[in-house]
Amino acid sequence: MFEKRRPGAVLFDRDGTLIRDVLYNGDPDLVEPMPGAIEALGRLRRADVPLAVVTNQSGVAKGLLSPDDMDQVNAKVEELLGPFDAWAICVHDDADGCTCRKPAPGLVIRAAAVLDVSPRDCVVVGDIGRDMEAARAAGARGILVPTQETPAAEIKEAAEVADDLADVVERVLSDAEGPVPAISAPWARAMGWSRW
């Protein structure tokens, strides 16, 4: 069980968690924030909690969208939802056998490293079991925010399930009295999106 304390960072899945899931989306005009995403992120930013995105984007490996298409979508995400302190993106497909593609822990570990926090001090928020498995494998706390597409079995298996993003923020911010660890890596934003 995770002790109740403020996280070093909150790492969000992108599709189905922060924005509506559009399969292999390479069109920034189709980016639409999930309900409550803008408010939830605003609350975390006001509390000085570092934020990152950890996302599988296998459409690049499949040739269904280009890296530039993906970058344009990510830029639109930041335009609508505000800037993130780090992005960790896996552009591989399942068959590539990489260590970054969720449910592997690589994206969580990479985002934590860029933010200069331990994965164990991170909260991973996602809408499917792969997100929760990646959190578990990295030693992070996982909070599932199910959508209508989330399989019932994955909801049942999740260690922690929230009603929505507002519920996630309430849980995260009410968990501790102590200050958020300072980020000692001011260069993190300048690095751009980390792709493996």
Side-chain angles (χ1 to χ4, degrees):
M1 200 62 190
F2 291 91
E3 66 179 277
K4 298 291 188 181
R5 57 193 163 92
R6 292 279 289 279
V10 180
L11 317 179
F12 289 90
D13 170 58
R14 193 189 81 176
D15 304 315
T17 303
L18 290 175
I19 62 171
R20 298 257 182 220
D21 192 0
V22 176
L23 195 60
Y24 306 124
N25 183 25
D27 183 353
D29 290 337
L30 298 179
V31 174
E32 179 187 349
M34 290 294 281
I38 294 169
E39 296 80 7
L41 293 169
R43 243 187 111 189
L44 290 169
R45 288 183 181 112
R46 286 191 298 276
D48 292 324
V49 176
L51 305 176
V53 178
V54 288
T55 179
N56 288 346
Q57 294 299 321
S58 64
V60 175
K62 296 177 194 293
L64 300 172
L65 65 151
S66 70
D68 184 60
D69 293 335
M70 181 188 69
D71 288 348
Q72 288 186 44
V73 168
N74 291 339
K76 185 68 171 187
V77 170
E78 288 209 326
E79 180 186 321
L80 295 174
L81 297 178
F84 290 87
D85 300 295
W87 284 74
I89 304 167
C90 174
V91 295
H92 302 116
D93 202 357
D94 279 331
D96 293 334
C98 70
T99 58
C100 54
R101 183 167 170 77
K102 296 179 286 186
L107 293 180
V108 174
I109 292 168
R110 175 64 180 157
V114 169
L115 296 171
D116 199 24
V117 297
S118 167
R120 294 187 177 279
D121 292 329
C122 293
V123 175
V124 177
V125 182
D127 64 315
I128 59 173
R130 276 180 180 253
D131 302 316
M132 299 303 98
E133 290 172 45
R136 189 167 34 250
R141 174 183 175 188
I143 303 178
L144 184 74
V145 182
T147 67
Q148 292 183 339
E149 286 74 39
T150 309
E154 295 181 5
I155 298 172
K156 186 175 180 184
E157 289 168 9
E160 191 171 354
V161 180
D163 296 331
D164 51 28
L165 291 174
D167 185 20
V168 168
V169 173
E170 201 57 47
R171 290 166 187 248
V172 166
L173 294 183
S174 68
D175 276 352
E177 337 290 349
V180 178
I183 301 178
S184 60
W187 43 265
R189 277 291 302 156
M191 288 184 63
W193 297 316
S194 174
R195 288 189 219 135
W196 288 7

